[in-house]
Amino acid sequence: MTRRTACALIVLLAGAGGALAMQAPGERGQPVAVRDAWVRVSTARRTSSSGYCRLENRTGKPIALVGITADGVGSAQVHTMADQNGQMSMHPVAKITIPPHGAVDLSPGGTHIMLTDITRPLAIGSTLDLRFTFDDGRTQTVRAVVRPLDAMSIR
Amino acid sequence: MTTRRWLALFAVVVLCACNKTQPAPSGLDEAARPSFGGDFTLTNQDNQPFRLDQLRGRPAVLFFGYTSCPDMCPMTMSRIAAALKLVGDEGHDVTTLFVSVDPQRDTPAALKEYVSSFSIPVIGLTGTPEEVARVASQYHASYQIVPTGTTNYLVNHTSAIFLIDRQGRLRQFFGFNEKPETLASALRALLSEKS
């Protein structure tokens, strides 16, 4: 293999890796498309993080996200933010309903995924597989990219 | 103005700040300044005493938060960083202060790791629970521990971004989700004032 071919192969593999990080394994053909999933970095000391993504319902019926799990994460819950007299608080929600042919954004400062008791620190650039459970009993694995603490989006 | 009335105003301002269609800046009238904000001493991320009056001559941004905060604190710090970048070179004269409302977990070492994660220089501050409570009270900030059913816990806390002028006076506060452009404009105004 020439040096040029090797370089091209490395670039190709790197590109493929990036694409895989954006798209969940086996997402094609799923009723829900999960876009741009990412989580914030965590450390051995700071064992909480948050996750974000866009959920798109490809069907004509409402679909609800009712649970999330991830290896190495003690608890993953969808939380909403509420303002109580100038003090922000977070509250778990039992489910997030995605309207037919509609979308829900889980985003910074809004409804988001809260990850606590993370036993395996999430390093920047690595990925975390989140298993989403929907109200029809179906589960879908979503691969989230680990971003810096002060990131505001996947990019 | 009583503390209760200030808290009511504070709530209104933060609520306004959450409404993206409305501008959020809030001023403080001259009469309120002596009883709202002011000097304090805490411990920085290098385990050294930090006095607010060390910053005399330079404006500061102050935020109450905690390092285990999953969403709002990193987002707010990101907005402050974005605002300072908009200000440009002059923004280097502004000191960003992160006061922990979780002194139990937020040791100087924990703060050092945390503040180094941001793209701007940040001074992390902690203290004894009593010291932190005193500073929060000065700034009319509140916080409560929220158990999660595990060894972990959350802390509900005041979400305002406080702007302090070159004389150490609290001048304005904004909601955590304020647009960086608005923060930058307020910071430029503080920077334009003479020491």
Side-chain angles (χ1 to χ4, degrees):
Chain A
M1 190 185 291
T2 66
R3 183 176 290 181
R4 183 171 295 189
T5 309
C7 287
L9 187 59
I10 287 166
V11 168
L12 198 65
L13 287 171
L20 282 172
M22 301 288 184
Q23 189 174 24
E27 188 193 82
R28 274 192 143 189
Q30 297 278 9
V32 176
V34 182
R35 311 274 184 211
D36 295 342
W38 64 282
V39 297
R40 294 190 194 279
V41 61
S42 77
T43 66
R45 196 193 301 271
R46 199 170 43 73
T47 60
S48 299
S49 177
S50 48
Y52 313 95
C53 64
R54 180 176 177 84
L55 300 160
E56 293 175 0
N57 184 350
R58 292 164 164 158
T59 76
K61 293 180 180 176
I63 299 176
L65 172 66
V66 295
I68 305 169
T69 59
D71 291 342
V73 175
S75 170
Q77 293 180 315
V78 176
H79 273 225
T80 57
M81 304 279 277
D83 187 322
Q84 296 172 326
N85 295 328
Q87 189 180 86
M88 296 306 293
S89 58
M90 297 196 300
H91 302 280
V93 292
K95 64 178 184 178
I96 290 286
T97 301
I98 316 157
H101 301 295
V104 170
D105 287 312
L106 303 181
S107 55
T111 302
H112 62 276
I113 302 164
M114 193 182 75
L115 310 169
T116 55
D117 302 299
I118 300 167
T119 54
R120 273 184 268 161
L122 305 172
I124 294 170
S126 66
T127 58
L128 175 71
D129 282 355
L130 300 166
R131 285 182 296 277
F132 284 14
T133 302
F134 296 96
D135 56 354
D136 59 0
R138 196 175 43 78
T139 62
Q140 185 171 333
T141 300
V142 175
R143 184 157 293 168
V145 180
V146 180
R147 298 273 289 131
L149 193 59
D150 58 354
M152 287 295 284
S153 70
I154 194 169
R155 286 170 197 94
Chain B
M1 189 177 279
T2 64
T3 300
R4 190 175 293 247
R5 287 188 64 194
W6 266 115
L7 286 173
L9 172 63
F10 190 76
V12 169
V13 170
V14 174
L15 283 169
C16 286
C18 292
N19 182 341
K20 288 176 183 166
T21 63
Q22 299 221 357
S26 169
L28 292 171
D29 63 43
E30 290 287 342
R33 284 181 192 155
S35 63
F36 199 153
D39 284 331
F40 58 80
T41 301
L42 286 170
T43 302
N44 71 14
Q45 71 267 29
D46 295 317
N47 206 20
Q48 297 298 312
F50 171 89
R51 301 188 327 272
L52 184 64
D53 63 15
Q54 291 170 216
L55 300 181
R56 283 295 185 278
R58 282 179 293 162
V61 181
L62 185 151
F63 181 71
F64 291 92
Y66 65 111
T67 67
S68 301
C69 180
D71 178 58
M72 193 178 70
C73 300
M75 178 187 152
T76 306
M77 298 304 287
S78 176
R79 284 179 187 268
I80 293 170
L84 287 171
K85 279 175 190 152
L86 287 173
V87 171
D89 285 346
E90 271 193 291
H92 296 306
D93 280 345
V94 178
T95 303
T96 303
L97 305 171
F98 180 92
V99 178
S100 171
V101 290
D102 185 12
Q104 185 181 327
R105 286 184 295 196
D106 287 346
T107 60
L111 281 167
K112 189 161 193 162
E113 177 189 282
Y114 186 73
V115 298
S116 68
S117 304
F118 297 105
S119 59
I120 54 167
V122 178
I123 296 177
L125 296 170
T126 188
T128 65
E130 294 76 20
E131 287 169 339
V132 169
R134 198 176 309 130
V135 177
S137 173
Q138 279 178 240
Y139 285 77
H140 296 226
S142 60
Y143 53 96
Q144 283 101 36
I145 287 177
V146 181
T148 61
T150 70
T151 53
N152 212 329
Y153 58 86
L154 298 172
V155 185
N156 288 347
H157 59 93
T158 293
S159 55
I161 299 168
F162 296 96
L163 300 195
I164 297 168
D165 70 12
R166 294 182 192 273
Q167 279 76 47
R169 299 176 303 181
L170 175 58
R171 291 288 293 276
Q172 282 184 291
F173 48 84
F174 296 86
F176 76 99
N177 55 356
E178 186 52 81
K179 290 177 185 165
E181 291 80 6
T182 307
L183 288 174
S185 174
L187 286 167
R188 282 193 200 98
L190 286 187
L191 284 161
S192 70
E193 294 176 0
K194 290 181 180 169
S195 302

